[in-house]
Amino acid sequence: MELSEHIKTANVEDVTLRRPFHPALRGTLCVTSHHLLFSDRKDEASWQLLILLRNIDAIEKSVENLFGYPRTMGSSGTITIKCKDLLVLQLEIPGMEECLNIASSIEALSALESVTEMYPFFYRPSHLTLHGPWGLSSIEQYYKQTERLQWDRWRVSTVNSDFSVCPSYPRAVIVPREVDDEKLVQSARFRQGGRFPVLSYCHLRNGMVIMRSSQPLTGANRKRCKEDELLLQAVIDGSELGYIIDLRSAQQAQQARMTGGGFESKSCYSYWKRINRHHERGKVLQESLIKLVEACSDPSHSVDRWLSKLENSKWLSHVHSALSTAGLVVECVERDGHSVLVHGSEGTDSTLLVSSLAQLILDPASRTLTGFLCLLERDWIQAGHPFQQRCAHSAYSHARLKQECPSFLLLLDCVWQVWRQFPLALEFSEALLLRLAQEVYASNYGTFLCNNEQERCAAGVKENTHCLFQSLLSADIEEQYLNPLYEPTDLAIWPSVHPQSLQLWTGLFLRWTEYAQNMEEAREEMWSIVKEHRERVGPDRTNKTPSTHCDTLTPFENLMDELTIL
């Protein structure tokens, strides 16, 4: 079926648009295969609003009868559009039939299931080309670029070159050098989804590593896999101790054995100590997001009601859990000098969340703009986070798909908490995090399409779409995502997880309120002041090193002091 066949009414005149903080406008509404276009033409000027249909999470329609005439003669309708970026719009459309046709077209075109029918396959801006490498770095390139690390104990394996060993892993992975590919295959058969332990990060100063995998399939009969045991033994020397951070409660891990899953036993993995840290995921996390957005959309002005709804959403509790566990991983690697294996059940959500947050805290390179995007590419996109399943809907949709889960949005919120507590330590700004929060749900680019590398290869994503990360690093775009206060440090940073240190990400969840509009104006003013000063005195700013340990929230006065220094 052609996309155009979903469009029952393409254009409607005299449509009234209502949106936050702006007066109502009357103009023309146009539906295309991938966009909703509203055009307001006054005099010779023309203002347009373009919405990617993929960004529409839910629509609500109501048809009103005017003046008591029959419905076909005097009816009009209102369509409320709720977007995945949390924007809510209203369209008042003259004519009952036109209103219903527009609503039907939007519902069909905003829920396309075929990847190749989505807009990234049709997006062709003049300043970008499909020729050349796609993405920022491959596993092989990452290995070569970091040869200064202790790679004598590690190698790049292409055992998964045809995706037959693990469908959700990339073609190449970094594994212990002394473990051959046959042992990797056996280990994959012993791990859920074939996600055998692979290297995520190697610490520059002490050579300790962060590994990630899925749960072992020990089952009720307590099965063993000698190849898996040898793989983990090869990660550490016999004199060392490793830590397995299991992102499930001890009870959940025990219950998993009854359904074929399980955990590493002490007797078989004698050099590894297991620690359970419970993390919610899946439906629980999705419901938490829905409740949070409902609280932020509450029209009442009752403080008690607001605080109660915010607490009941438990979103900040999930932020706390993620940052707290990432801090535990960092303590094991940085302070105690031990390697860590992180896993939950499938190893595609909380596992990636914790391992990537730990790298942000540990690794100065991951706190640069390029390094952070490379981290997301390596530990989320290439590592097989199922974006298409997890981000099918946001918080407004009435469809409750089993696979939906805002794990990546939770990561961005955690990174924002770190950015807010350490305003000098990250090279990128909140603007980048907000852009990524929008792009992951609806994008012109192919970066977040599909669920893994195998699906992207089958759909021809790299040959037929543009890469978001490459676009963000282009010279004419990069500057708007840079932090003007950035002062690099080689030390680890330690974000506080005290309740008073974690705050609601107002820039995202209150994005369409008056408060957010005022903050955006303040940020733009700060940028102009900093840029003007740098143009006057040059790039050499200060030798002051930012604090790298934080037990309480970084005071706002400190940020103002830094602005004064600049």
Side-chain angles (χ1 to χ4, degrees), residues 345-400:
S345 297
E346 294 87 358
T348 57
D349 291 276
S350 300
T351 299
L352 307 183
L353 171 66
V354 170
S355 65
S356 53
L357 281 176
Q359 291 177 65
L360 184 78
I361 296 171
L362 271 172
D363 183 20
S366 296
R367 300 194 287 267
T368 66
L369 175 59
T370 301
F372 179 64
L373 294 178
C374 285
L375 172 63
L376 297 183
E377 183 178 62
R378 188 173 63 251
D379 265 37
W380 284 81
I381 297 168
Q382 295 172 353
H385 178 67
F387 283 101
Q388 189 167 343
Q389 293 177 348
R390 300 294 187 261
C391 301
H393 294 289
S394 180
Y396 289 126
S397 175
H398 299 297
R400 296 289 185 264

Side-chain angles (χ1 to χ4, degrees), residues 201-271:
Y201 172 73
C202 182
H203 197 32
L204 177 61
R205 286 191 289 275
N206 61 20
M208 297 298 104
V209 299
I210 299 175
M211 306 281 288
R212 47 179 165 76
S213 71
S214 60
Q215 67 175 337
L217 302 178
T218 55
N221 296 327
R222 303 189 180 187
K223 297 177 183 178
R224 291 183 59 181
C225 176
K226 293 184 178 180
E227 291 81 3
D228 189 79
E229 296 167 15
L230 290 172
L231 194 162
L232 288 186
Q233 186 175 345
V235 173
I236 58 178
D237 293 330
S239 58
E240 295 179 6
L241 173 68
Y243 284 92
I244 298 174
I245 309 298
D246 191 332
L247 304 179
R248 304 167 294 180
S249 66
Q251 181 180 5
Q252 287 176 323
Q254 288 283 358
Q255 292 173 345
R257 288 174 52 188
M258 300 300 102
T259 57
F263 53 89
E264 297 83 358
S265 66
K266 294 181 181 179
S267 59
C268 300
Y269 300 85
S270 57
Y271 292 105

Side-chain angles (χ1 to χ4, degrees), residues 392-416:
H393 294 289
S394 180
Y396 289 126
S397 175
H398 299 297
R400 296 289 185 264
L401 303 181
K402 183 179 180 181
Q403 299 293 334
E404 291 175 357
C405 178
S407 302
F408 189 74
L409 195 64
L410 181 59
L411 168 78
L412 297 178
D413 197 327
C414 292
V415 175
W416 178 81

Side-chain angles (χ1 to χ4, degrees), residues 138-154:
S138 65
I139 298 297
E140 294 92 339
Q141 290 171 329
Y142 171 69
Y143 184 85
K144 292 179 180 179
Q145 291 166 359
T146 52
E147 284 181 337
R148 65 186 187 279
L149 301 177
Q150 304 296 323
W151 288 136
D152 56 314
R153 293 176 54 192
W154 302 89

Side-chain angles (χ1 to χ4, degrees), residues 522-537:
R523 279 191 290 267
E524 292 178 359
E525 180 67 19
M526 183 187 75
W527 244 119
S528 63
I529 293 173
V530 172
K531 291 172 68 177
E532 179 182 350
H533 183 79
R534 287 183 177 176
E535 291 173 357
R536 188 168 64 249
V537 302

Side-chain angles (χ1 to χ4, degrees), residues 47-63:
W47 177 88
Q48 293 183 335
L49 175 67
L50 188 67
I51 299 177
L52 188 63
L53 290 175
R54 190 70 181 174
N55 188 33
I56 296 177
D57 203 31
I59 65 170
E60 299 172 359
K61 50 186 179 292
S62 61
V63 179

Side-chain angles (χ1 to χ4, degrees), residues 5 51 100-101 120 174 179 222 256 348 360 384 393 470 560 562:
E5 296 181 31
I51 299 177
L100 295 178
N101 284 346
I174 301 177
V179 178
R222 303 189 180 187
T348 57
L360 184 78
H393 294 289
Q470 288 175 319
M560 293 299 100
E562 295 297 341

